[in-house]
Every structure is written in C-alpha cells, then in structure tokens.
C-alpha cells in the first residue's frame, strides 16, 4: 500500500482552505475593533460628561455596560456558534456592533449612550468566540500557533491602543464630532469587515445538536448586573439596604446556576450545552485562578479609570496627552509578554506571583508620584516608572495564568473553564470600574487628587491579593504541546459523553478554550 508523501516545507497542509489567511485578517480586524472599544471611551469620559451633562454614575456605566454585556453573553454565544454556524454569528455580531456604534455616536442623552454601549458589548461577545473557533478550524499545527500568536499580540496591546486612539480621535475633533468620533469610526470599519466577511470567511465546522442554555444565560446576565448595579448607583441612592440585598441576590443567582447545572442538564437529558459546570468550580486550581483573573481585572480597569479622570479633570491634560501617558504601561507589557510563557514553564506560579507583585508596586509608585504632586500640575515623567512596572507585571501575570491553571484542570472541563475565565475577566473589569470609581467619586468634593489617592489603593490591594492567591496555584505550567493535548482531550471526552450529535459541541469546547490562551488587553 502506498503512502502519501509528506508536504513540502512551507506548503499548505492537505485540505487547508486557500483563503484562510485572508479570512484570518478579516476576523482579526473585527476582534481588534471589539477589544479596543473596552478602553477607547476612558479618555473621552470628561468630554462626554460635559457635553451630555452626564452624572458620575453614567460615566461609570459607559464602561461597565460594555463589559457586562460582553460577560453576560460570551459563553452562550460560543454555543450559538456551535449550533447555528460560526460565520452567521460572526456576521450578525459585526453588523450589530456597527449599528450599536452608530447609535452611540448619535446619542443625545446619557441613557441612550449607556444602552448602546451595552448592545456593543453583546455584539462583541457574539464575535469573539467565532473568531477563535474559526482559527481552530482553519489552521492546524504550526499555522494554528502562528494564528493564535497573531491574536495574542493584538489582544495584549488592545487596551493601550484603545486609550491612545480615544485620545487622538477626541482631540482631533473630526468633522466637529468631538468624542462621538470614537464610536462613529467603527461604522465604516464594521461595514467593510461585514462585506469582507461575506466574501472571504468560509463556513467552517460542524454544527452541534445541543441547544444553547438561553434561560441560564439570562439568569447569569441578570446576576452579574445585580452585583454591579448597587456599586455604581449606591452613592446617589444613599446606599440603601435593598441595594446590598440586590448585590447578594446576584451572587446567589450565579452560584446557584453553577450548583444546579448538573440537575438541569440531567432533567433535559443532556440536550442543552453546559453553561457553568459545577465540576469546574470544584477544582481548587480553577477556582483560585478564576478569582485571580477577576481581581486583576478589578484592579486594572478601576485604576485606569480614576487615573485618566485625574489626569484630565485634575491636571488639565488633553485626552491625547492622557492617552499617551498610558503608553508606558503598554511598553512594560511589551517587554515581558514574549518571555512570560517560557519563564512560567520553568518557574511555574512564581512568575505569576512576581507579576502580581510588580503590578502592586507599580500602582504604589504611581500613587506616591500623585501624592508628591501636592495637588498641583505634575509632569508625566514621575508616573512613568510605576506604569512601566505595572505593565511588566501584567505581562508576567496574565500571559501564563491560564497555562498554569490548566495544568491541574481535567481535560473534560478545559474548554468550559477557559470560557468562564474570559467571562470572569470582563465581569471583574465591570466591578472594578464600579467599585473603584465609586470610591473616587465619593471623595471628589475634597479635590480630584484626594479622590485619586483614596481610590487607587484599592487597585493596589487587588494586586496584592492576586499575588497571595497565586501561591495556591499549581507549581508548574503546561507547555504548548501539552495545552494542545488538553484541548484535543476536551473534544474527545465531550464527544464520548454525548454520542450521537455532540462531537461538534466538543470541538466548540476546544474553540472556547482558545479564548484566553493569548495575552489579555
């Protein structure tokens, strides 16, 4: 029997889609657009507040609404893509994102803008799992590593790109649009991406027989909102008792969803895809890693909210100048992200501990620089050392975090664990904006410098807590080959558990597992 000769070096693998790299570019443009919009609004907040006469809580909602919409939709959108096809979901999400951006750009009231931002977050969550799922289907072997490397590189700097681009567009005042241009710029980008997606992105992958758990998804989204709502509105409402009860009810709703998941799936004879599998939360490494992921996002998103507000409203920086200051943070991450994975394979959790500690020290140095300004204008240079260290810590912490956690996670829950990790990051960001923002606005009557000095230590405390929790993570990380084996094992095990139509769901689990393998913005 003859055997086929191996492919020549550099040639396409057998059966590879001829337009896969063109499709990858289209997918990445959509992903970048979604990731940048997490932070692009930061430096425009003072301008938005003045133009729309927005209260302080509305400024917090402009960021939290996007992240809550993303967090509440992400997991189920992956299952929707598995059942109905990734290309239709990708095109739907891209079109919805463009329409929501247009609505943001023409909004006349804070309420309209917040609602449109929430829809933007939902649209972004529809797009992202389809991008990564398509990557796993279109590419194999080294090409797959290159594709995810491209994604990781873009994701790692998306937050900094958003801050800088937000400043550039707001200061440029294109066509007299002012801050509205940060949203309206998405409209032509989304339109071109939509057309290119129709022409270049193939319909790939099988379709799952399992139905998405829509009632569970609604309960999850409601629980997340119930936690954040009292944090954002608490001061203006006078911190009523029912607000704290609302927060507790939100936590119980999410926990109850995880605890009751096995019973709900058993009652439906496994016909629905798992949303929050309790088996994942019973794994100590996963639960600890999820808390680390959430706390790091709490600290980072909250810190940069109050920093940009202090720079502009307190120190007279333009939006562009405030965005440029944050470049130091991106440079720090750029220096450490490329080596963080290899160091984690060798030194394991110690790299994560060092990363969280560096973030804490960086936040502390920025706090000291602001404290030393004595409420007068200070140049950017005193802030640079702290921002560099915090960025360097981000690279050491976030890049290898999932690898270290997956070393102790059974293959059968690897995909679900990764999807929950990304949801935790977005929810943590929303909580950070709400809680640290509330601490900042509670002290603005004493001056913006005092407000920053009061709020920033909470970000430092979150980083310190991350460092301590990292000591309970597994000692070692997985290698690239081991991670691939984990993803493949998740697919195999899921297929074995649900014979007769669940193999595509298993592939979808592996797709979801790719969501957080790269650096997070």
């Amino acid at each position: 029997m003859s055997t086929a000769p191996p492919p020549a070096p550099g040639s396409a693998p057998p059966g590879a889609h001829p337009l896969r790299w063109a499709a990858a570019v289209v997918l990445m443009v959509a992903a970048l657009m979604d990731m940048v919009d997490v932070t692009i609004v930061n430096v425009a907040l003072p301008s938005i507040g003045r133009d729309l006469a927005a209260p302080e809580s509305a400024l917090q909602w402009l960021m939290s609404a996007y992240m809550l919409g993303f967090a509440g939709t992400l997991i189920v959108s992956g299952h929707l893509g598995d059942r109905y096809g990734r290309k239709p979901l990708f095109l739907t999400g891209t079109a919805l994102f463009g329409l929501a951006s247009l609505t943001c750009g023409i909004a006349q009231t804070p309420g309209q803008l917040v609602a449109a931002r929430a829809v933007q977050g939902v649209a972004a969550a529809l797009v992202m799992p389809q991008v990564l799922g398509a990557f796993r289907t279109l590419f194999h072997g080294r090409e797959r590593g290159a594709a995810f490397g491209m994604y990781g590189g873009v994701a790692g700097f998306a937050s900094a790109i958003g801050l800088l681009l937000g400043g550039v567009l707001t200061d440029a005042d294109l066509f007299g649009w002012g801050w509205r241009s940060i949203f309206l710029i998405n409209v032509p980008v989304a339109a071109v991406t939509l057309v290119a997606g129709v022409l270049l992105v193939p319909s790939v992958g099988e379709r799952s027989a399992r139905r998405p758990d829509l009632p569970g998804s609604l309960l999850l989204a409601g629980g997340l909102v119930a936690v954040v709502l009292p944090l954002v509105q608490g001061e203006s409402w006078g911190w009523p008792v029912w607000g704290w009860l609302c927060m507790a009810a939100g936590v119980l709703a999410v926990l109850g969803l995880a605890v009751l998941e096995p019973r709900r799936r058993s009652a439906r004879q496994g016909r629905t895809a798992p949303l929050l599998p309790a088996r994942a939360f019973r794994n100590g490494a996963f639960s600890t890693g999820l808390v680390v992921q959430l706390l790091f996002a709490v600290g980072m998103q909250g810190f940069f909210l109050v920093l940009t507000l202090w720079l502009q409203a307190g120190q007279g920086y333009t939006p562009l100048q405030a965005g440029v200051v944050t470049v130091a943070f991106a440079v720090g991450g750029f220096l450490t992200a490329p080596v963080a994975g290899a160091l984690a394979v060798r030194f394991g959790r110690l790299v994560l501990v060092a990363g969280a500690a560096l973030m804490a020290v960086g936040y502390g140095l920025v706090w000291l620089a602001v404290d030393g300004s004595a409420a007068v204008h200070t140049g950017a240079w005193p802030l640079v050392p702290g921002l560099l260290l915090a960025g360097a810590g981000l690279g050491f912490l976030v890049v290898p975090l999932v690898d270290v956690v997956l070393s102790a996670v059974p293959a059968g829950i690897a995909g679900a664990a990764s999807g929950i990790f990304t949801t935790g990051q977005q929810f943590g960001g929303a909580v950070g904006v709400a809680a640290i923002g509330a601490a900042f606005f509670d002290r603005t009557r004493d001056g913006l410098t005092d407000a920053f000095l009061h709020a920033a230590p909470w970000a430092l405390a979150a980083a310190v807590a991350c460092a301590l929790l990292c000591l309970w993570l597994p000692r070692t990380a997985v290698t690239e080959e081991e991670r691939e084996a984990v993803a493949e094992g998740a697919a195999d095990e899921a297929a074995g558990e649900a014979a007769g139509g669940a193999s595509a769901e298993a592939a979808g689990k592996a797709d979801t597992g790719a969501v957080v393998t790269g650096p997070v913005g």
Side-chain angles (χ1 to χ4, degrees), residues 81-88 203-210 501 503-505:
D82 294 336
R83 182 168 177 82
Y84 299 109
R86 298 188 188 101
K87 182 173 180 176
S203 298
V204 292
E206 303 174 8
R207 299 193 180 186
S208 173
R210 295 189 191 181
S503 59
E505 167 68 19

Side-chain angles (χ1 to χ4, degrees), residues 179-203:
W179 59 266
R180 297 178 187 274
S181 61
I182 68 175
F183 302 114
L184 294 175
I185 193 68
N186 289 329
V187 177
V189 176
V192 172
T193 303
L194 187 62
V195 173
V198 171
L199 298 175
L200 298 174
V201 176
S203 298

Side-chain angles (χ1 to χ4, degrees), residues 147-174:
F148 281 118
M150 178 176 67
Y151 169 83
V154 170
F157 296 99
S159 293
I161 293 171
L163 291 167
L164 186 58
L165 185 60
V168 170
L169 292 174
T170 303
D171 268 5
D173 194 21
L174 299 173

Side-chain angles (χ1 to χ4, degrees), residues 34 66 69-70 73 77 89-90 92-100 117-129:
D34 297 340
Y66 186 95
F70 196 114
T73 313
S77 71
L89 264 292
F90 172 78
T92 300
T94 301
L96 183 61
F97 194 90
L99 290 173
R117 282 285 287 172
V119 176
Q120 268 192 321
V122 171
L126 289 176
V127 169
M128 294 304 294

Side-chain angles (χ1 to χ4, degrees), residues 109-383:
T109 67
Q112 292 174 0
L113 186 53
V114 169
R117 282 285 287 172
V119 176
Q120 268 192 321
V122 171
L126 289 176
V127 169
M128 294 304 294
Q130 321 318 327
V131 171
L132 293 156
F135 276 9
R136 290 198 63 87
T137 306
L138 287 171
F139 299 102
H140 303 277
R142 293 185 178 181
E143 282 195 346
R144 180 181 290 175
F148 281 118
M150 178 176 67
Y151 169 83
V154 170
F157 296 99
S159 293
I161 293 171
L163 291 167
L164 186 58
L165 185 60
V168 170
L169 292 174
T170 303
D171 268 5
D173 194 21
L174 299 173
F175 309 108
W177 291 342
W179 59 266
R180 297 178 187 274
S181 61
I182 68 175
F183 302 114
L184 294 175
I185 193 68
N186 289 329
V187 177
V189 176
V192 172
T193 303
L194 187 62
V195 173
V198 171
L199 298 175
L200 298 174
V201 176
S203 298
V204 292
E206 303 174 8
R207 299 193 180 186
S208 173
R210 295 189 191 181
R211 296 192 302 267
D213 185 2
L214 296 180
S217 300
L218 291 175
L219 179 61
L220 173 63
L224 299 182
V225 172
V227 172
V228 174
L229 176 64
L231 291 174
V232 175
Q233 300 290 156
E235 183 183 1
S236 60
W237 289 345
W239 299 104
V241 174
W242 70 263
W244 297 103
L245 295 175
C246 177
M247 195 183 306
V251 173
L252 290 175
V254 176
L255 292 177
L257 184 63
V259 171
L260 296 177
E261 182 85 45
R263 295 181 183 177
R264 295 172 65 242
R265 289 192 65 221
S266 176
R268 298 179 184 183
Q269 299 178 339
R271 292 191 298 268
T272 58
L275 194 66
L276 297 178
R279 183 182 171 197
F281 295 96
R282 288 195 295 266
N283 183 281
F286 171 76
S287 297
T288 302
L290 179 62
V291 176
V292 171
Q293 177 88 329
L294 191 147
L295 285 176
F296 122 77
V298 165
M300 189 181 75
Q301 296 293 353
F303 180 82
F304 278 100
L305 169 69
V306 300
L307 178 63
T308 54
L309 288 173
W310 174 77
L311 285 171
Q312 292 185 69
Q315 299 295 291
Y317 280 54
T318 67
L320 176 58
Q321 290 170 333
V324 168
V325 169
T326 62
V327 171
F329 182 81
V331 170
F334 176 81
L335 295 175
T336 57
V339 300
L343 289 175
V345 169
R346 182 174 181 182
F347 298 106
R349 66 189 179 196
L350 295 180
V351 176
L352 281 76
V353 173
L358 281 175
M359 291 192 78
V361 172
Y363 293 154
L365 289 178
V366 173
W367 187 90
L368 290 173
V370 172
D371 188 38
S373 70
V376 298
H377 191 285
T378 181
W381 287 112
L383 306 177

Side-chain angles (χ1 to χ4, degrees), residues 446-469:
D446 299 326
L448 293 181
T449 297
D450 284 343
F452 178 85
L453 295 176
H454 176 68
W458 292 103
L460 190 156
V464 170
C466 285
L468 295 175
L469 285 169

